[in-house]
Amino acid sequence: MLAFSTQTLTCKNLQEYLRSLPKDTLDRLYRHPATCLAVFRELPELSRQFILRLLFVTKPISQVLLATWIPQHEPGRDLGDIASEHRQGTQVLLDMYIWQEVKDHQGNMAIKLNNTFRENLKVAVLGGGKPWTMSAALDPDPHQRDIEFLDKYAMDRWESVLQFLVQPGQGQTAISRDAMLTLLHAGLIESDESDNMQITSSGFQFLLLDTASQVWFFILKYLETVTERGLSLVSCLTFLFKLSFSTLGKDYSMEGMDNELLTFLQHLREFGLVYLRKRISGRFYPTRLALNITAGQNKGTIDAHKHGYLVIETNYRIYAYTVSELQIALLSIFSDIEGRFPNMVVASISRSSVRRALLKGIGAEQITSFLRQHCHPQMFKNSPVVPRTVADQIKLWELERERLEFSEGVLYKDFMSVHDFSLLSNFASSKGVLIYSDEKQRTMVVTKKGHPAIKLFWKEAQTK
């Protein structure tokens, strides 16, 4: 029997990820207009206003003046909220080294926009300088690929990764070694004592995310390992930012790419982010997975072109109009499959099936969100899309598990007298390590951490 922890899967957004990078790495990233524009568009609105105010200002701005740049006071809005928004907007820029704290000519603390960031953001917004987009001229491609082909190719590649995650012990050759190593590094799968792969609690939670969030999380974990693969993190990130500004259905030249970028491009091909017919063809096509990848957690559009396939009834029954083994496997994580037909699967949600998912670390909100994302177009005529009875019941089943709190402890029993029991119970209570006490049964439970102190106290009491 497999045991799963209940750790919640967390994924950094672009801001959080960049704030975790060292200053020298960010300085090198800001040398590229694509990076500066990608960072700028993901900043909070107030932070973007600060940058635009300072874009053509080369002298330091005093913090006293900066404090007056506050959002317009709306009627009924608390001043504390406005001050908090101002602090957050400035702190983000400081943490990402877009702003620098300096001293002005009078020795007072002031703010100055990072010169490298300023100049390259100007290039991205106003033009000028060397071309920063992937726009090298190419002859017409005799093997031109349309958007429909690229969408199918990308999803086939990505679903092969998800299929391996669903059944990691089968068909290891279905995905590349790089993809498998990334899944291991991300903690989505793990190897047991027999070197067999098995999915983890985080893996189950990953499967129920929308595609945009899945791709962003996977790429972040891949980027954590690029230096071990002999690649440059700055080069890989810069190329990803350029990809996010590319046009779907357009081919781009590989001319001028060094060996590092060609290797990285090959990895992106394995993950489904780009289509590359042959390496010698000298061109590649970005897929929908690569577009707006940096905005994956916030406003991903990857699933927008896909049609839902789930019809949910108020009696907890689900009709899934699909023949995809992956989609059926995902549905079986939190429901019971009752019947399969040539083009449809019938399933039902029950207390036991939801508890099975909860034990794997999946939350009620994740289940409801998955159902909402994959609903059949006909379901969107209803409000809410997922029947309220179904969503509420799934939440209630989750709350059932929160009625009890489990604590690891040590049991003390078989006391010779009430005096001995009271002596030890009072001492444990005074130390704050007593979990449970029953004077009638002369039984008590203390925390595992407090056990050594209780044991030592008892031995000293015995000697006296």
Side-chain angles (χ1 to χ4, degrees):
M1 180 179 180
L2 300 180
F4 296 96
S5 67
T6 57
Q7 183 177 2
T8 303
L9 183 71
T10 57
C11 178
K12 298 176 181 178
N13 57 32
L14 180 61
Q15 286 181 39
E16 293 168 339
Y17 175 69
L18 292 178
R19 289 162 81 169
S20 68
L21 297 179
K23 183 178 183 299
D24 61 328
T25 301
L26 288 174
D27 285 339
R28 286 182 288 149
L29 278 174
Y30 294 155
R31 295 173 189 171
H32 304 275
T35 302
C36 295
L37 185 58
V39 170
F40 174 78
R41 68 180 184 177
E42 292 304 312
L43 289 171
E45 181 181 354
L46 190 59
S47 301
R48 296 200 299 269
Q49 292 183 22
F50 290 159
I51 291 176
L52 291 177
R53 286 193 176 199
L54 296 178
L55 195 58
F56 298 95
V57 179
T58 57
K59 294 182 179 180
I61 300 296
S62 70
Q63 292 194 351
V64 176
L65 176 61
L66 176 64
T68 64
W69 294 355
I70 59 175
Q72 184 177 0
H73 180 53
E74 300 173 1
R77 190 178 182 191
D78 185 50
L79 291 176
D81 293 339
I82 297 177
S84 176
E85 182 182 352
H86 188 278
R87 284 194 301 271
Q88 181 183 1
T90 56
Q91 192 60 46
V92 167
L93 298 177
L94 288 170
D95 291 344
M96 297 173 67
Y97 301 104
I98 296 174
W99 272 4
Q100 297 171 334
E101 288 186 320
V102 296
K103 290 188 176 181
D104 58 18
H105 62 282
Q106 296 178 345
N108 299 320
M109 292 302 298
I111 291 294
K112 185 179 181 182
L113 194 61
N114 185 313
N115 288 329
T116 305
F117 185 89
R118 175 198 289 112
E119 295 305 319
N120 285 289
L121 183 60
K122 281 183 181 179
V123 172
V125 175
L126 305 175
K130 297 180 180 179
W132 57 271
T133 57
M134 300 178 297
S135 56
L138 284 171
D139 295 330
D141 186 0
H143 305 280
Q144 180 75 27
R145 303 301 185 185
D146 58 15
I147 294 177
E148 184 179 354
F149 173 87
L150 294 174
D151 284 342
K152 185 178 184 307
Y153 168 83
M155 293 315 301
D156 285 346
R157 286 277 185 168
W158 186 248
E159 286 183 1
S160 68
V161 175
L162 300 183
Q163 186 66 54
F164 174 83
L165 194 55
V166 172
Q167 298 173 320
Q170 304 175 18
Q172 278 89 338
T173 57
I175 64 172
S176 66
R177 182 174 178 272
D178 294 293
M180 191 186 303
L181 290 176
T182 303
L183 292 175
L184 279 168
H185 174 75
L188 303 180
I189 59 174
E190 61 185 6
S191 178
D192 60 17
E193 297 176 355
S194 304
D195 290 332
N196 294 321
M197 298 293 182
Q198 65 182 27
I199 190 170
T200 64
S201 169
S202 297
F204 279 109
Q205 297 175 56
F206 177 82
L207 287 171
L208 297 191
L209 295 175
D210 61 273
T211 307
S213 297
Q214 287 176 343
V215 173
W216 174 242
F217 178 85
F218 185 86
I219 291 299
L220 276 190
K221 294 302 178 181
Y222 169 82
L223 290 173
E224 291 176 3
T225 66
V226 291
T227 53
E228 300 172 7
R229 304 169 193 259
L231 304 177
S232 166
L233 175 61
V234 173
S235 298
C236 293
L237 270 173
T238 303
F239 185 74
L240 278 177
F241 289 133
K242 288 182 179 180
L243 273 182
S244 71
F245 292 106
S246 59
T247 303
L248 186 63
K250 182 179 178 182
D251 55 333
Y252 294 90
S253 174
M254 296 162 56
E255 183 182 354
M257 290 188 178
D258 55 22
N259 289 331
E260 280 189 10
L261 272 184
L262 290 174
T263 301
F264 182 55
L265 187 67
Q266 185 63 32
H267 291 169
L268 295 182
R269 176 195 185 188
E270 295 166 359
F271 306 152
L273 272 71
V274 298
Y275 170 76
L276 181 62
R277 192 175 69 86
K278 290 182 180 180
R279 191 163 181 168
I280 59 174
S281 65
R283 68 182 77 221
F284 67 93
Y285 291 82
T287 70
R288 200 179 297 270
L289 296 182
L291 302 182
N292 297 321
I293 186 174
T294 56
Q297 278 222 309
N298 300 319
K299 44 182 179 285
T301 59
I302 295 174
D303 290 317
H305 70 293
K306 296 167 62 178
H307 296 294
Y309 56 93
L310 298 180
V311 174
I312 308 161
E313 294 185 337
T314 55
N315 60 359
Y316 311 109
R317 183 157 289 178
I318 301 175
Y319 299 94
Y321 292 89
T322 180
V323 294
S324 167
E325 292 296 328
L326 172 62
Q327 292 173 345
I328 295 171
L330 294 180
L331 187 62
S332 67
I333 293 176
F334 55 85
S335 67
D336 298 314
I337 305 297
E338 295 184 344
R340 297 187 62 164
F341 300 91
N343 66 338
M344 183 183 71
V345 171
V346 180
S348 64
I349 298 176
S350 64
R351 182 175 181 271
S352 60
S353 67
V354 172
R355 281 180 59 83
R356 186 173 66 236
L358 295 174
L359 289 172
K360 295 170 182 175
I362 298 171
E365 183 58 37
Q366 288 177 297
I367 296 175
T368 306
S369 176
F370 178 85
L371 292 173
R372 189 181 302 111
Q373 292 166 21
H374 297 88
C375 274
H376 192 278
Q378 289 292 329
M379 292 291 295
F380 285 92
K381 297 179 181 180
N382 305 327
S383 180
V385 178
V386 178
R388 193 178 302 278
T389 53
V390 176
D392 288 349
Q393 186 59 65
I394 293 173
K395 184 62 178 178
L396 289 173
W397 282 328
E398 180 184 48
L399 293 176
E400 282 183 1
R401 300 184 69 246
E402 298 178 2
R403 291 184 300 178
L404 299 176
E405 183 178 342
F406 296 92
S407 301
E408 193 173 5
V410 178
L411 173 66
Y412 287 78
K413 63 178 183 177
D414 298 332
F415 287 91
M416 298 299 295
S417 66
V418 177
H419 175 268
D420 291 343
F421 171 80
S422 299
L423 179 68
L424 211 57
S425 176
N426 292 335
F427 178 78
S429 179
S430 66
K431 294 296 182 181
V433 297
L434 183 65
I435 298 176
Y436 171 79
S437 175
D438 186 344
E439 185 175 358
K440 186 176 181 181
Q441 298 293 331
R442 297 182 188 176
T443 302
M444 58 179 278
V445 179
V446 301
T447 62
K448 192 173 183 180
K449 188 176 180 180
H451 171 58
I454 301 297
K455 187 177 179 181
L456 179 61
F457 172 80
W458 179 247
K459 284 185 177 180
E460 292 176 352
Q462 289 282 35
T463 58
K464 294 179 181 178

